[in-house]
């Protein structure tokens, strides 16, 4: 019986390994090759978080920016000596270094126990889940088996990241490219309950919205005054403020309550409430945190499947910032 039991385990291991070769992600992908990977990453993320809260929004945003360009393949992690990698594109220059450092530290910890086994892309996906949990958000099982991408070009970023002035059609169009619905998009936008933005990303809404309405009329007047106080005209564009003015360090449904109250920081935030076709979902998430958490988990798992590389379409990078070859 022991012999048959051992054979069963061997067959199961082969199935798991081969399962990654045909593009299928699996929650137990590293069950036999690095069974403690999620715990190792979790510990590294927790250590980084104990040093700075920025770990949370920075890592989550890094995952979004990675998946929307070339797919979830850690291509955003590449550092180019010529300054022409994804991270060098203007929209990625504001990505906080703590997000990159979180993945680097987690990768080092994983390599110490499972050398050459776990991709940077998978580590980033696990870390994104872990920071949501650290901020009080829902936990979920992360599908694994990604390989790291072989392309990272700044020129391929343009037009692939949502802009702060997007309307609902533009948002839906961009998310639909990745098999994400409007419902998914609204749920993922809830990540703006964490993190911060630089003043120049929304200054037009408080100073030059239109010739007749310098202040965006969809903004709550008191909130607009607060923004002007924190971001006066000609302020240093690197000055940053919280995306969520109420609970900026907690993953909750306050973002949607803010939208109902006219306190969405970006046009692309507030439009989710001002457009009738998305307003119902915003109202539901504002009134029911359980609904939001469930939708967010589903959307994050779908996002994690975008453009993944498996088998010989990618590599297991030894250093997340450099291609192996």
């Amino acid at each position: 019986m022991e012999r048959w039991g051992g054979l069963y385990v061997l067959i199961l291991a082969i199935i798991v390994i081969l399962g990654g070769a045909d593009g299928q992600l699996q929650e137990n992908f590293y069950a036999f090759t690095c069974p403690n990977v999620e715990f190792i990453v979790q510990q590294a993320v927790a250590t980084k978080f104990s040093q700075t809260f920025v770990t949370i929004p920075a890592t989550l945003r890094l995952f979004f920016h990675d998946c929307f360009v070339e797919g979830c393949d850690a291509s955003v992690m590449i550092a180019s000596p010529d300054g022409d990698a994804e991270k060098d594109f203007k929209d990625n220059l504001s990505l906080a270094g703590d997000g990159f450092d979180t993945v680097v530290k987690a990768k080092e910890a994983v390599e110490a126990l499972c050398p050459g086994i776990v991709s940077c892309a998978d580590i980033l996906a696990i870390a994104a889940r872990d920071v949501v949990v650290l901020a009080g958000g829902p936990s979920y099982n992360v599908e694994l088996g990604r390989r790291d991408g072989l392309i990272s070009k700044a020129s391929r970023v343009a037009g692939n990241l949502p802009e702060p002035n997007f309307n609902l059609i533009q948002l839906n169009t961009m998310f639909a490219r990745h098999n994400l619905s409007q419902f998914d998009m609204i749920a993922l936008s809830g990540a703006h309950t964490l993190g911060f933005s630089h003043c120049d990303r929304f200054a037009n809404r408080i100073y030059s919205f239109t010739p007749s309405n310098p202040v965006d009329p969809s903004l709550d007047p008191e909130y607009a005054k607060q923004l002007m106080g924190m971001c006066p005209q000609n302020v240093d564009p690197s000055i940053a403020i919280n995306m969520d003015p109420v609970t900026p360090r907690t993953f909750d449904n306050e973002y949607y309550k803010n939208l109902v109250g006219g306190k969405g920081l970006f046009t692309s935030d507030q439009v989710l409430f001002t457009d009738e076709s998305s307003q119902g979902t915003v109202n539901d998430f504002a009134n029911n945190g359980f609904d939001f958490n469930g939708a967010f988990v589903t959307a994050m798992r779908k996002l994690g499947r975008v453009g993944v590389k498996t088998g010989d379409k990618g590599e297991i990078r030894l250093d997340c910032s450099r291609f192996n070859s």
Side-chain angles (χ1 to χ4, degrees):
M1 288 300 293
E2 288 184 8
R3 183 170 63 116
W4 286 109
L7 181 60
Y8 172 76
V9 170
L10 177 62
I11 292 173
L12 184 59
I14 293 172
I15 291 173
V16 169
I17 294 171
L18 292 181
D22 62 0
Q24 298 299 312
L25 300 181
Q26 298 180 1
E27 293 174 11
N28 62 348
F29 186 83
Y30 298 107
F32 299 97
T33 54
C34 190
N36 294 322
V37 60
E38 294 196 50
F39 177 74
I40 298 169
V41 173
Q42 181 188 50
Q43 292 298 106
V45 172
T47 298
K48 180 67 181 177
F49 169 64
S50 70
Q51 299 164 358
T52 173
F53 175 81
V54 179
T55 298
I56 290 178
T59 304
L60 188 55
R61 187 167 177 237
L62 189 65
F63 181 62
F64 277 72
H65 279 235
D66 180 47
C67 292
F68 266 66
V69 182
E70 306 293 351
C72 307
D73 64 352
S75 52
V76 75
M77 296 290 299
I78 292 295
S80 167
D82 300 319
D84 62 355
E86 272 181 43
K87 67 185 298 185
D88 300 308
F89 187 73
K90 59 183 178 64
D91 286 353
N92 282 334
L93 292 177
S94 63
L95 290 170
D98 289 298
F100 293 96
D101 192 48
T102 298
V103 178
V104 168
K105 294 291 174 53
K107 173 67 170 175
E108 290 173 351
V110 171
E111 283 295 304
L113 295 175
C114 308
I117 299 295
V118 184
S119 68
C120 299
D122 276 348
I123 289 173
L124 175 53
I126 297 169
R129 184 272 312 277
D130 290 345
V131 296
V132 168
V133 174
L134 282 172
S139 184
Y140 55 93
N141 295 329
V142 179
E143 296 174 320
L144 302 169
R146 301 167 188 79
R147 290 202 168 225
D148 298 318
L150 303 173
I151 297 172
S152 181
K153 296 289 185 182
S155 60
R156 297 172 76 147
V157 179
N160 288 308
L161 293 173
E163 297 289 343
N165 61 346
F166 269 13
N167 60 35
L168 191 67
I169 292 175
Q170 291 171 309
L171 289 168
N172 282 336
T173 299
M174 179 164 286
F175 278 71
R177 291 182 203 164
H178 305 302
N179 197 35
L180 295 164
S181 67
Q182 174 176 291
F183 189 76
D184 297 325
M185 179 271 292
I186 298 172
L188 291 172
S189 296
H192 282 176
T193 191
L194 301 167
F196 49 85
S197 170
H198 296 104
C199 293
D200 60 347
R201 299 290 281 175
F202 58 86
N204 68 302
R205 296 191 70 202
I206 53 178
Y207 295 117
S208 57
F209 190 65
T210 66
S212 58
N213 286 301
V215 178
D216 185 344
S218 68
L219 270 175
D220 172 75
E222 287 302 312
Y223 183 52
K225 289 180 183 178
Q226 291 176 26
L227 294 178
M228 291 177 186
M230 292 182 285
C231 295
Q233 284 185 295
N234 302 316
V235 71
D236 182 344
S238 66
I239 296 296
I241 69 166
N242 292 322
M243 296 286 291
D244 176 355
V246 183
T247 56
R249 293 193 168 206
T250 303
F251 188 94
D252 55 21
N253 65 333
E254 196 66 41
Y255 168 79
Y256 302 99
K257 296 177 183 179
N258 291 335
L259 298 187
V260 174
K263 297 178 182 178
L265 189 59
F266 294 158
T267 300
S268 56
D269 292 315
Q270 196 59 50
V271 73
L272 302 183
F273 182 73
T274 57
D275 195 302
E276 291 184 359
S277 65
S278 52
Q279 189 177 98
T281 302
V282 171
N283 279 324
D284 176 38
F285 290 168
N287 293 323
N288 194 321
F290 182 81
D291 285 357
F292 163 53
N293 282 347
F296 184 81
V297 164
T298 298
M300 281 292 282
R301 283 168 60 89
K302 288 178 67 174
L303 175 63
R305 299 170 192 144
V306 171
V308 298
K309 281 76 177 175
T310 56
D312 60 0
K313 295 179 181 179
E315 63 181 7
I316 304 298
R317 240 177 265 155
L318 301 180
D319 178 340
C320 291
S321 66
R322 294 202 302 267
F323 298 121
N324 288 344
S325 55

